Amino acid sequence: MQLLRAIGFFRGNILILSATIGAGIFVSPKGVLKYSSLNVAVSLSIWAACAVLTLISALSHAELGTTFPISGAQYYFLKRSLGSSVAFLNLWIKLFTHPLRLATESLLLSTYTIQPFYAGCPAPELPKRCLALAVLWSLGLLNAQGVQTVAWLQTVSTLAKMTVLCFICFTGIVLLGMGERENVARFENALDAELPDVSQIAEAFLQGLFAYSGTSILNSMAGEIKNPGKNIPKSLITGIPMVAVVYLLANVSYLAVLTPKEIVSADAVALTWTDKIIPSMQWVISFGISTSVFSTMCCTVLSASRMIYRASQEGQLPFIFSMLNKHSCPTMAVSQLIILTSIVIITSDLINLIRYSGLALWFLRGLHMIGLLKLRYQEPNLPRPYKVPLPFIFGSIAISLFLILTPLIKTPKMEHVYGLIFIFSGLLCYWIHVHLNQHSVSFVKVTCYLQLLFNVSPPEDHNEGISTEKSDLKEIFL
C-alpha cells in the first residue's frame, strides 16, 4: 500500500487555485491599500509585483518537489540538505502554524455562514465555535476518503468561488466602461496621492503575499502527482498568472465602487461592495467567501498531513502517523492535525498567535533556498527533472531577507521577538527529542494497538518515484 499518484495537470491547477484563493481577496485587500498610504497606483502595482515574486519563489521551490517527488518533499529536502535539526525546526514551526491557520479559517467560515442570521448584531461565540468544529471534523472525514475524493470536491468548490469572483470582476469592468464620474474618479488622480516609505512597502508586500500563499501545495503532495517533473512547474506557470489576473480585476472592481477610505475601514470589503451595488446578493457573496475558505482548508489539511506523514517515516514523529488506510490516506496524520486544531478553536485566545507565524514561514522559505544552493554544490550530479535558474534562487533569498529584516529594523515590535523565540525554541525541543528513548517496548505495543484499532498499515516504499529525467523551463511545455 502506498500513496496514489492521482493528480494530473488539470487537478494540479485546481489545487493551486483552491489553496491560493482564500478569504483574503473577499475580506481583507484593505491591508495592501492601508500600507500603500491609500495610493491606488502603488496598491495595484504591489498586487502585480506580489504575483511576480510569488511565481519566482514557487518555481524555485518546485525544484524540491521534482527532485524528491515524495509527499512532504520540503521536509525531506531540508533533512537531506541541512540536517535533521533544521528539518525538525521546520516540523516544529509547521505543527503550530498549520493548526493556527486551520482554526482561523474555520472560525472565519462559521462567522460568514452564521452572520446573515444575525443582521445588525454580531453572531454569538458558541454557535460559531460549534459550527467551526463541525466543519473541521467533516474535513477530516472527507480527507480520510482519499485524495481523489478531495480533488473532486476541490474542482466543484473552485468553480463556485471563481464564479463569484468573476461576477465581481465583470461588474467592475462594466462600471468603468460606463464612464460614470463616481466610478472612475479614484483612478484619474491615482498618481497624486502620498507615497509610502520603505517599511510601509514591506508591510504591504507581506499583506499581498499572504493572499498568494498556498502555492507550495504541489510540493507537499509531490508523491501523489503524475509526472511531477513536468506537471508541478506547468501547473505553477499557468495557475499563478490566473490568480494574479483575478486579484487585480477584483481590486479594480472594489475601487470602482468604494473609496480607499471605505475599503480600509471595511471589515469585509466584498460585503461592503455588495451593499453598494446589489444589497440583495449578500447571501451569494457570503456563500462565495464560505466556499473559498472551505476549499482552502481542504488544501491546508492535505499539505499539513503529508508533512506529518513524511516526518513519521523519517523517525521524527511516531511511526503510526505514516500508516495508510484502505483509501491510501495517512488517516492518523490527518487525525492529529484535526485534534490540534480543535484545541485551538476551543481555546480561541490562541488564535492571536497566528500573527507570529509570518516571520517563521518566511524564515523557512529562506532556509529552503539556502539548502537548494548547498545541495547543488554538494551533489551536482543528483538527477533533477526540473532545474530552476540561479537568478530565481537568489531572488527568492533576497525577497525573504527583505520581508524579514525590514520590519525588524525599521519598526521593531514585541511580536517579532516572540516570533524569534518561538522559532529557536524548536532547537531545544530537538535536543530533548534526540535524548528521549523513542523505541521502548511499551511504545511499540501502543503502535500495534492503534494500527489494529484504526485499520491502517505501513506504506510499501516511502522513497519510490524518484525520476532520472531532466528538463528545464524551456522544455516544460514541449
Side-chain angles (χ1 to χ4, degrees):
M1 182 177 292
Q2 60 189 24
L3 294 173
L4 300 177
R5 292 193 180 275
I7 300 172
F9 173 68
F10 174 74
R11 284 182 173 174
N13 276 281
I14 291 295
L15 279 177
I16 289 176
L17 293 175
S18 298
T20 306
I21 302 178
I25 192 61
F26 290 109
V27 181
S28 56
K30 63 180 185 179
V32 176
L33 193 58
K34 174 184 175 181
Y35 289 109
S36 300
S37 300
L38 303 184
N39 190 311
V40 172
V42 172
S43 173
L44 294 177
S45 299
I46 286 176
W47 277 104
C50 284
V52 175
L53 297 180
T54 300
L55 184 59
I56 291 173
S57 179
L59 288 174
S60 300
H61 282 80
E63 185 172 328
L64 315 184
T66 55
T67 304
F68 306 107
I70 51 180
S71 291
Q74 296 119 310
Y75 169 87
Y76 178 82
F77 167 80
L78 281 177
K79 186 176 181 183
R80 179 158 175 171
S81 61
L82 298 178
S84 296
S85 59
V86 177
F88 186 87
L89 197 61
N90 173 79
L91 176 65
W92 167 259
I93 292 170
K94 294 295 183 69
L95 279 177
F96 280 88
T97 56
H98 280 310
L100 287 170
R101 178 180 177 182
L102 265 178
T104 304
E105 290 169 344
S106 300
L107 288 169
L108 184 64
L109 187 152
S110 65
T111 298
Y112 279 91
T113 302
I114 291 176
Q115 190 58 53
F117 294 98
Y118 295 89
C121 62
E125 285 296 318
L126 182 59
K128 287 196 295 186
R129 293 185 193 180
C130 290
L131 180 58
L133 288 170
V135 170
L136 180 68
W137 282 91
S138 299
L139 272 178
L141 294 174
L142 176 68
N143 273 269
Q145 300 303 308
V147 69
Q148 289 180 313
T149 303
V150 175
W152 176 84
L153 177 69
Q154 291 291 65
T155 302
V156 175
S157 61
T158 299
L159 289 175
K161 69 179 176 183
M162 289 301 291
T163 300
V164 174
L165 274 171
C166 287
F167 168 75
I168 292 175
C169 297
F170 178 75
T171 304
I173 293 172
V174 170
L175 290 173
L176 289 176
M178 291 171 62
E180 294 289 338
R181 178 70 182 173
E182 180 185 0
N183 302 129
V184 300
R186 263 80 73 183
F187 301 95
E188 289 180 346
N189 301 316
L191 298 176
D192 297 337
E194 178 186 353
L195 293 175
D197 59 29
V198 175
S199 61
Q200 288 178 310
I201 290 175
E203 292 286 355
F205 268 103
L206 283 172
Q207 295 285 331
L209 289 169
F210 175 78
Y212 283 99
S213 62
T215 53
S216 63
I217 179 74
L218 298 185
N219 282 334
S220 300
M221 302 186 62
E224 294 158 88
I225 296 178
K226 302 173 184 176
N227 191 8
K230 289 189 178 293
N231 282 330
I232 290 179
K234 277 177 67 176
S235 297
L236 292 171
I237 291 170
T238 55
I240 293 176
M242 283 193 287
V243 173
V245 170
V246 171
Y247 278 7
L248 281 170
L249 290 178
N251 275 278
V252 168
S253 182
Y254 293 148
L255 288 164
V257 176
L258 305 171
T259 66
K261 289 184 179 179
E262 286 176 327
I263 291 176
V264 169
S265 62
D267 291 328
V269 178
L271 295 182
T272 307
W273 179 90
T274 309
D275 274 338
K276 278 208 166 187
I277 298 294
I278 313 174
S280 60
M281 289 193 65
Q282 281 273 8
W283 282 94
V284 177
I285 301 301
S286 293
F287 172 75
I289 294 173
S290 300
T291 304
S292 179
V293 175
F294 186 80
S295 63
T296 305
M297 288 175 64
C298 278
C299 291
T300 303
V301 172
L302 281 172
S303 176
S305 62
R306 271 50 180 183
M307 178 206 64
I308 295 171
Y309 165 85
R310 179 57 47 195
S312 172
Q313 289 201 324
E314 298 299 324
Q316 292 192 341
L317 284 178
F319 186 55
I320 187 66
F321 293 122
S322 65
M323 294 190 182
L324 308 176
N325 66 2
K326 64 181 180 180
H327 300 293
S328 298
C329 170
T331 312
M332 299 305 296
V334 172
S335 300
Q336 186 201 34
L337 180 66
I338 298 300
I339 291 170
L340 289 174
T341 306
S342 299
I343 294 171
V344 176
I345 290 175
I346 294 169
T347 58
S348 58
D349 287 343
L350 293 177
I351 298 295
N352 293 326
L353 294 176
I354 193 67
R355 67 178 185 271
Y356 304 144
S357 65
L359 179 66
L361 293 177
W362 280 104
F363 172 76
L364 286 180
R365 292 188 182 191
L367 282 182
H368 285 137
M369 294 300 97
I370 293 171
L372 192 60
L373 288 173
K374 182 181 177 183
L375 207 62
R376 287 248 186 124
Y377 175 77
Q378 287 185 336
E379 301 184 49
N381 297 322
L382 182 70
R384 293 175 172 86
Y386 159 75
K387 195 171 183 178
V388 69
L390 281 176
F392 280 33
I393 299 176
F394 289 116
S396 297
I397 294 174
I399 294 167
S400 298
L401 289 174
F402 174 74
L403 294 175
I404 292 172
L405 296 179
T406 303
L408 287 175
I409 296 172
K410 291 286 186 179
T411 54
K413 300 177 183 176
M414 280 305 298
E415 64 188 62
H416 297 144
V417 178
Y418 295 148
L420 291 173
I421 293 173
F422 164 69
I423 289 171
F424 291 107
S425 62
L427 295 176
L428 175 62
C429 292
Y430 176 72
W431 182 84
I432 297 172
H433 161 79
V434 169
H435 287 80
L436 285 177
N437 182 9
Q438 299 183 357
H439 306 290
S440 63
V441 175
S442 60
F443 194 83
V444 173
K445 288 182 178 179
V446 171
T447 300
C448 292
Y449 174 76
L450 291 173
Q451 183 179 356
L452 293 171
L453 179 64
F454 290 98
N455 192 25
V456 291
S457 58
E460 293 175 358
D461 185 3
H462 66 275
N463 281 325
E464 55 87 23
I466 305 294
S467 174
T468 58
E469 297 179 2
K470 296 184 179 181
S471 62
D472 55 28
L473 280 174
K474 294 181 180 179
E475 298 174 331
I476 290 301
F477 286 95
L478 296 180

